[in-house]
Amino acid sequence: MAPQADLLPGTLDVLVLKAVSLGPLHGYGVLLRIEQMTQGALLVEQGALYPALFRLEQQGLLETEWGVSDNNRRAKYYQLTTTGRRRLKDGVASWNRLATAMAAALGTRTGEA
Amino acid sequence: MWNRISLWLTSLVQRARFDRDLSDELEFHLRARAAHWEERGLTPREAMRRARIEFGSIDKAKAQVRDVRFGMWVAHVEQDVRYGLRMLRKHAGFTAMAVLSLGIGIGANTTIFSIVNAVLLRPVPLGHPEELVTLYERNQETAFSSLSYPDIKDVRDGAASAFTGIAASTIAIAQIDEPGGAVSVVGEAITGGSFSVLGIEPQLGRPILAEDETAHATVVMLSHGFWQRRFGGDRSVLGRELRLNGRPYTIVGIAPAEYRGGIPVITPAFYVPMIMLDDLMGVEMLDARGVHNSFARARLARGVTRAQAETVVARVAASLTGKRPDGWVPNSGFTLYPTANVRIHPQLDQILRAAAGLLLVVVGLLLLLACTNLTSFMLARALDRRREVCLRLAVGATRGALIRQLLVESLLLCMGGGAMGLALAVGLLNALLGADLHLPYGIGLDVLGLDPGPNWNVLTFAAGISVLAGALLGLVPALQSTRPDVAATLKTDNATVGAVGPLRWRNALVIAQITVSLVLLVGAGLFLRSWQQMLGVDPGFGRPPSAILSIFLPTSKFTADEARRQTRLLLERFGALPGVEAVGVTNDLPLDTSNTVIRFTVDGHVPPPGQDTFSADLAAIDGAFFDAAGVALLQGRTFSDLDTPNSEPVAIVSKATALRYWPAGDAVGRLMRASGERQTHLRVVGVAGDVDVRTRGESPRDMIYVPFTQRDNDPRRSFVARTSADASQLGLTLLKAGREIDPDLRVMETKTMAQHLAVTRMPAEVIALVMSVFGGLGLGLAALGLYGVVSYTVTTRTREVGIRMALGARAGVVVRLLASQGMRIVLIGGTIGMALSLGVMRLANGLLFGVETFDPFTLVTAPVVLGTTACLAAYLPARRASRVSPLAALRSD
């Protein structure tokens, strides 16, 4: 397994939105999707996932529906709203700007680190 | 903030479901994760354990989700409320005492406020009240006298330019048929168009119109209360008939519930057109200028100021003085008073405002006492919890969070107290409203329009003072106990270090309590003395047990001769009843609400400046009245059958009158000249003892009695029957006997003399009672506070006491030592209280009867009562300490 990095503050929301953007997921599914997307490189604290989900729902970015899981259990599914989709776009754009800037800034040093 | 609260409230309902769903969701997560680990070869047990460890604290996650969902602030308060409730349950005794004393304090405040709100604060329901003025007649005695209807007509005609309309009201009393027989109800005769002048819409049907007056229409409007009482609020009463004094009137409308008529204090049952008054009552009153039984309100014409209108009505008064019609007292005038400022009557309002202010201050002090008491208890508890608090501060709780939690606790207490207080107030108001005050025509406190069910003003008030009390109660202990000298407290093994501050606070609070309760006691003492003085005053009549039957002999039904004959017939019939020892009659009972005035001159005496006559109160009686009513006859003779309409007009004067005009004591045989319709002389044939005529305990007023046989223009008759038996049943016996003679007898009321006199004493009695209750409560609360302080000192000094006793101190010395601190508090509080009391005495003097400004009895008794109670409150806990065995004391803590 690759070494894991802690999440930067604020990144969990974008990751959750991204995970859900590919289709409705229950909470555990979101966790798995993030792990899968990052190939396990990012450590998502499971306890922190649910407050984030509820916060996004509260903000109207996610909507929820109770459904039945693959193994026939009652589960709550999260889905992106239109606002959520827009927010994801913004989030991705701003993250990319930041990443480019960071990479540029860090890349100017000769890279012995 | 409000959004958050409403979100919280709605979510409370969904709360259970929300929590269940959240648990389900997390449970699903854990099971899925466990399945994931099982697939990788772990036992189910291991897998679940692994899943849980990975997840971290489930409770923390739930709490965070709840914070997100319900907001941090609300979640914390909710937690505080839960914790607070748990603490209050744990200290059930304290909680019960706190809720009880707060309940009493808040209940007293709410009751008084309800009354003040109903009487003084609630706006009068009139359209554009700022344009309305209330009309009064101004004479030597008052600027706010009621009017007689001819005067109102003169103002209406003579000052038409100043007003767009005048609404006049006169009392109209009518018997209506009830299942149990005829009863008298009080209504109003109003000028047509009154309701539109006042800007009031009937809630049903139409008002009395100007056309009704022109047509002499027998139409009637009902008041809301009467409509509810008699017809159960039936909306189909419109068009039905109501028999008033035997004549059918058609019901045309219902007045709005909040309108209480145009006559002070009386809420009428019905309204009839003014023009029907004489027909209804069977007397000629519409043209009787001297009879001041009307009230009027006028709407100022557009662009006319009150001052301009006053000049116009002054011209009307001047022209009346010029014409000198019968019944118009020369140089009288009219007062225009802003209607919006009138609650009941300008002069009465002033007294009521003072009384309301006094009562509000007193109940406010009472609540303050309850609060300070609880504050000192909470301070003591905060001290006990000081180590807990310090520990929590040390491990990182913020001071704000702790203060919030203590405040929530005290607010919870106050909400309990507030709920109890509100219930208490509603009960008290209902009791007051239901009380039979023995007022004429069954008038009770409901005339104030008191609404026993809590209305918004009252609810807001109760909630407001509850929250205020809660804040007051919680803030000081909260600030004190969370002062962040953490290290010092944690290091010591008991709470004495750092306790100095709170203890000083407690002492200050108890000093304040002693002060306040002494002031309350002095107040109670003063009003009790005032009441006692009043009881001791002989009103000059009514001492022997007797009953009163008041009737009305309509002049339309009885000529003067017939009325005299009817009166004689009734007197004879009543005199023959078993148990009746003497029976007399008067047209105007002393100490009732109406007064008849006679104007006269006496040779050798010059009337006061601006007047051409003297005046005195007048009663038309028969010869036996003095005997029946227990009035002393000091000189000369009483009236007899020989005093007839054709014999020489005679009079009996009161002692005060005799002394004023014939100080040599030779009044009998002298002449007075009565002015008025007939310029007659009156021969004085006797001198009677002074009686209280208008108010209880007044300085003797001039009073003149004439035989009813020689004065035939008053339809009122009050029969007074003295008995050796039980007077309480006699009134009914009189009524039955009277109905045997005349089945249609117009009865105004029956009552015992004791009831009649009780009404005149009532205000003093009520104030004395209320003040005593409040004084007693205050004393109890202060004693409790003192007891608490001394108890606390005793507890913290148990070890010291143990050492002293082990070293051989005697119990008495220890008691004195421990109680002395309490006594110091009493001394300081008492001194301040006495100083304040002297100021209060000066203020209260105007409300007292027959009590000196610095009443020595009260000045001695109140401090003695307080001192004795305080000594007891300090002594009891101190004695308890001295009985502790030294060994146990040393081992404690």
Side-chain angles (χ1 to χ4, degrees):
Chain A
M1 204 189 271
Q4 291 188 322
D6 282 335
L7 273 181
L8 286 171
T11 45
L12 180 59
D13 285 6
V14 188
L15 278 176
V16 169
L17 291 177
K18 178 71 187 171
V20 175
S21 71
L22 305 173
L25 287 173
H26 48 66
Y28 181 61
V30 173
L31 179 79
L32 291 180
R33 180 74 53 83
I34 292 176
E35 279 183 351
Q36 181 200 347
M37 289 188 310
T38 61
Q39 280 115 41
L42 286 178
L43 179 70
V44 177
E45 207 184 307
Q46 293 180 27
L49 181 64
Y50 286 89
L53 283 170
F54 274 86
R55 192 167 49 244
L56 294 172
E57 184 192 350
Q58 195 95 333
Q59 290 167 1
L61 305 178
L62 295 181
E63 56 193 10
T64 63
E65 200 181 358
W66 284 90
V68 178
S69 75
D70 305 337
N71 46 10
N72 256 339
R73 273 211 219 101
R74 204 170 87 97
K76 192 170 158 194
Y77 283 85
Y78 294 84
Q79 195 174 343
L80 215 55
T81 64
T82 336
T83 334
R85 205 164 288 283
R86 210 177 305 129
R87 175 68 64 84
L88 175 62
K89 232 175 100 189
D90 291 352
V92 169
S94 87
W95 177 254
N96 283 339
R97 272 199 305 279
L98 179 68
T100 317
M102 284 297 284
L106 298 174
T108 51
R109 292 265 184 91
T110 40
E112 63 258 24
Chain B
M1 172 88 87
W2 179 243
N3 282 339
R4 282 165 148 193
I5 291 174
S6 68
L7 178 72
W8 174 56
L9 286 177
T10 45
S11 68
L12 263 188
V13 185
Q14 313 158 353
R15 189 63 179 257
R17 211 185 65 199
F18 176 84
D19 278 350
R20 209 175 48 235
D21 283 353
L22 182 59
S23 294
D24 282 358
E25 191 175 5
L26 298 184
E27 180 71 20
F28 173 82
H29 180 109
L30 290 175
R31 279 179 192 281
R33 194 63 178 170
H36 165 89
W37 288 116
E38 265 182 71
E39 281 166 28
R40 278 156 187 73
L42 293 186
T43 63
R45 226 183 123 94
E46 262 308 291
M48 193 43 128
R49 210 176 84 86
R50 183 81 178 253
R52 283 186 192 283
I53 291 171
E54 269 187 327
F55 193 89
S57 164
I58 292 168
D59 284 340
K60 192 176 139 199
K62 280 186 181 174
Q64 282 174 349
V65 168
R66 277 195 209 107
D67 275 359
V68 169
R69 177 73 175 74
F70 302 106
M72 300 276 274
W73 182 83
V74 166
H76 285 162
V77 168
E78 207 178 271
Q79 188 186 337
D80 286 342
V81 168
R82 280 213 196 101
Y83 182 76
L85 284 175
R86 202 159 60 227
M87 288 306 285
L88 295 179
R89 253 203 312 277
K90 218 170 111 187
H91 303 273
F94 165 77
T95 308
M97 192 212 66
V99 170
L100 192 72
S101 44
L102 282 172
I104 292 172
I106 294 173
N109 275 277
T110 309
T111 310
I112 299 297
F113 178 79
S114 297
I115 298 175
V116 172
N117 178 54
V119 179
L120 294 178
L121 300 182
R122 209 166 33 187
V124 191
L126 303 171
H128 291 285
E130 71 282 354
E131 295 171 4
L132 289 170
V133 290
T134 305
L135 198 62
Y136 297 99
E137 193 173 300
R138 191 175 57 240
N139 55 36
Q140 283 169 285
E141 290 190 2
T142 168
F144 303 105
S145 167
S146 50
L147 305 145
S148 69
Y149 188 59
D151 298 341
I152 299 176
K153 278 195 290 191
D154 285 333
V155 170
R156 188 186 59 201
D157 300 340
S161 62
F163 307 116
T164 52
I166 292 187
S169 305
T170 301
I171 286 196
I173 299 163
Q175 296 209 347
I176 57 168
D177 306 319
E178 288 277 350
V183 294
S184 293
V185 294
V186 182
E188 257 179 49
I190 56 171
T191 47
S194 280
F195 273 59
S196 76
V197 169
L198 298 172
I200 313 168
E201 290 288 327
Q203 58 170 307
L204 207 62
R206 66 166 179 88
I208 305 284
L209 304 170
E211 297 85 77
D212 293 327
E213 289 225 72
T214 0
H216 285 65
T218 47
V219 291
V220 62
M221 274 183 90
L222 306 183
S223 74
H224 177 80
F226 183 70
W227 178 49
Q228 293 292 332
R229 269 198 310 281
R230 187 168 153 97
F231 296 102
D234 181 1
R235 299 178 72 86
S236 71
V237 292
L238 291 190
R240 274 202 238 161
E241 276 179 355
L242 177 69
R243 290 173 71 82
L244 300 174
N245 285 340
R247 185 161 181 191
Y249 278 69
T250 309
I251 300 171
V252 293
I254 312 289
E258 61 274 19
Y259 182 60
R260 284 180 267 147
I263 298 170
V265 178
I266 288 168
T267 307
F270 62 84
Y271 303 88
V272 292
M274 183 66 84
I275 199 80
M276 300 306 294
L277 181 66
D278 286 359
D279 179 72
L280 179 78
M281 298 279 283
V283 287
E284 277 151 38
M285 278 203 288
L286 286 177
D287 295 321
R289 197 181 291 272
V291 182
H292 286 205
N293 60 355
S294 298
F295 295 85
R297 286 171 288 186
R299 191 171 288 279
L300 293 171
R302 193 171 285 276
V304 175
T305 65
R306 190 158 59 89
Q308 287 165 338
E310 249 161 5
T311 3
V312 180
V313 294
R315 276 205 298 274
V316 176
S319 103
L320 276 169
T321 298
K323 282 187 260 171
R324 296 194 176 232
D326 263 352
W328 175 260
V329 179
N331 298 321
S332 299
F334 296 104
T335 306
L336 298 183
Y337 196 81
T339 303
N341 297 350
V342 182
R343 295 296 154 192
I344 295 174
H345 182 269
Q347 282 163 328
L348 192 60
D349 287 353
Q350 221 173 348
I351 298 172
L352 282 176
R353 285 206 181 92
L358 180 80
L359 277 175
L360 281 177
V361 166
V362 167
V363 289
L365 286 177
L366 203 69
L367 184 62
L368 201 67
L369 273 182
C371 280
T372 46
N373 231 350
L374 292 178
T375 307
S376 43
F377 273 95
M378 299 218 19
L379 265 175
R381 282 191 37 219
L383 269 173
D384 295 340
R385 279 159 71 177
R386 209 173 150 70
R387 293 189 61 183
E388 172 208 331
V389 165
C390 285
L391 209 61
R392 289 176 62 180
L393 282 173
V395 299
T398 65
R399 193 171 175 217
L402 287 175
I403 290 177
R404 189 187 59 208
Q405 190 229 303
L406 289 170
L407 268 181
V408 163
E409 214 176 297
S410 63
L411 280 175
L412 281 175
L413 276 181
C414 286
M415 278 182 210
M420 188 185 142
L422 207 59
L424 205 69
V426 170
L428 220 60
L429 284 176
N430 274 320
L432 278 176
L433 288 180
D436 180 9
L437 301 180
H438 305 303
L439 295 180
Y441 318 116
I443 293 171
L445 277 179
D446 52 341
V447 301
L448 299 179
L450 262 182
D451 179 9
N455 57 38
W456 275 115
N457 273 2
V458 171
L459 277 178
T460 315
F461 177 83
I465 59 171
S466 302
V467 169
L468 198 71
L472 213 69
L473 206 64
L475 208 57
V476 171
L479 290 177
Q480 276 293 340
S481 64
T482 56
R483 261 197 332 207
D485 48 354
V486 178
T489 307
L490 282 181
K491 264 187 264 159
T492 58
D493 66 340
N494 63 28
T496 44
V497 176
V500 182
L503 210 55
R504 206 169 44 222
W505 262 103
R506 284 197 71 179
N507 288 350
L509 286 176
V510 177
I511 288 175
Q513 284 188 319
I514 299 280
T515 306
V516 169
S517 67
L518 184 58
V519 172
L520 285 178
L521 275 182
V522 166
L526 285 178
F527 284 102
L528 276 173
R529 285 276 287 163
S530 168
W531 176 50
Q532 182 204 7
Q533 293 294 106
M534 192 165 267
L535 273 184
V537 166
D538 183 1
F541 72 100
R543 195 164 282 265
S546 54
I548 299 164
L549 170 71
S550 297
I551 63 159
F552 201 79
L553 298 175
T555 47
S556 58
K557 203 168 144 193
F558 297 94
T559 64
D561 262 349
E562 285 167 350
R564 267 195 296 276
R565 213 171 308 129
Q566 183 81 344
T567 309
R568 288 230 174 281
L569 218 56
L570 289 166
L571 281 171
E572 277 163 26
R573 180 79 186 83
F574 295 157
L577 289 171
V580 172
E581 296 188 328
V583 59
V585 69
T586 174
N587 69 330
D588 204 339
L589 270 179
L591 289 180
D592 68 3
T593 44
S594 69
N595 310 291
T596 314
V597 169
I598 182 173
R599 296 181 190 281
F600 58 92
T601 53
V602 177
D603 288 348
H605 290 267
V606 182
Q611 296 294 313
D612 47 15
T613 57
F614 297 103
S615 68
D617 284 85
L618 178 79
I621 60 168
D622 74 327
F625 174 74
F626 291 130
D627 179 17
V631 179
L633 187 69
L634 304 174
Q635 284 176 37
R637 65 166 175 95
T638 183
F639 304 129
S640 73
D641 291 346
L642 301 177
D643 299 310
T644 67
N646 305 317
S647 66
E648 180 185 38
V650 290
I652 295 171
V653 298
S654 69
K655 189 174 150 201
T657 321
L659 280 177
R660 184 187 309 277
Y661 299 106
W662 303 282
D666 51 351
V668 175
R670 299 302 191 109
L671 281 181
M672 10 187 23
R673 264 171 252 287
S675 57
E677 308 126 63
R678 288 175 296 174
Q679 295 279 331
T680 52
H681 74 267
L682 292 170
R683 174 84 57 194
V684 177
V685 295
V687 176
D690 286 322
V691 299
D692 288 349
V693 184
R694 297 193 181 183
T695 55
R696 199 66 191 267
E698 68 194 7
S699 52
R701 295 185 73 94
D702 290 354
M703 178 82 205
I704 293 173
Y705 303 92
V706 294
F708 79 94
T709 45
Q710 293 180 347
R711 190 178 168 90
D712 43 30
N713 59 352
D714 194 325
R716 296 171 301 161
R717 299 283 188 277
S718 286
F719 295 89
V720 179
R722 180 161 64 80
T723 178
S724 51
D726 180 15
S728 62
Q729 296 308 314
L730 188 55
L732 213 61
T733 316
L734 293 180
L735 176 62
K736 276 190 202 141
R739 284 251 154 88
E740 281 167 23
I741 290 179
D742 178 2
D744 293 330
L745 195 69
R746 282 277 172 92
V747 176
M748 298 291 128
E749 57 174 338
T750 61
K751 58 185 170 184
T752 64
M753 183 62 85
Q755 286 170 341
H756 178 66
L757 291 178
V759 173
T760 65
R761 265 199 326 259
M762 198 179 59
E765 252 167 33
V766 168
I767 294 188
L769 182 72
V770 167
M771 289 298 289
S772 307
V773 169
F774 289 163
L777 284 174
L779 183 66
L781 288 171
L784 218 57
L786 194 66
Y787 181 91
V789 162
V790 176
S791 291
Y792 187 74
T793 319
V794 167
T795 324
T796 50
R797 290 170 76 178
T798 308
R799 177 177 296 201
E800 179 198 334
V801 169
I803 293 172
R804 281 174 188 269
M805 304 251 316
L807 292 176
R810 274 174 301 120
V813 177
V814 171
V815 170
R816 220 174 305 142
L817 177 79
L818 291 175
S820 71
Q821 187 208 1
M823 290 333 299
R824 236 188 349 264
I825 290 175
V826 174
L827 220 59
I828 301 173
T831 312
I832 305 175
M834 279 318 276
L836 280 179
S837 296
L838 293 180
V840 168
M841 285 174 134
R842 207 181 278 279
L843 280 178
N845 194 38
L847 296 166
L848 297 174
F849 170 77
V851 181
E852 288 170 57
T853 311
F854 300 113
D855 179 47
F857 173 81
T858 309
L859 277 178
V860 172
T861 314
V864 166
V865 169
L866 179 78
T868 316
T869 316
C871 281
L872 207 65
Y875 169 73
L876 288 177
R879 193 187 57 166
R880 199 179 57 218
S882 72
R883 289 194 174 162
V884 173
S885 99
L887 266 177
L890 285 173
R891 236 188 276 121
S892 81
D893 206 41

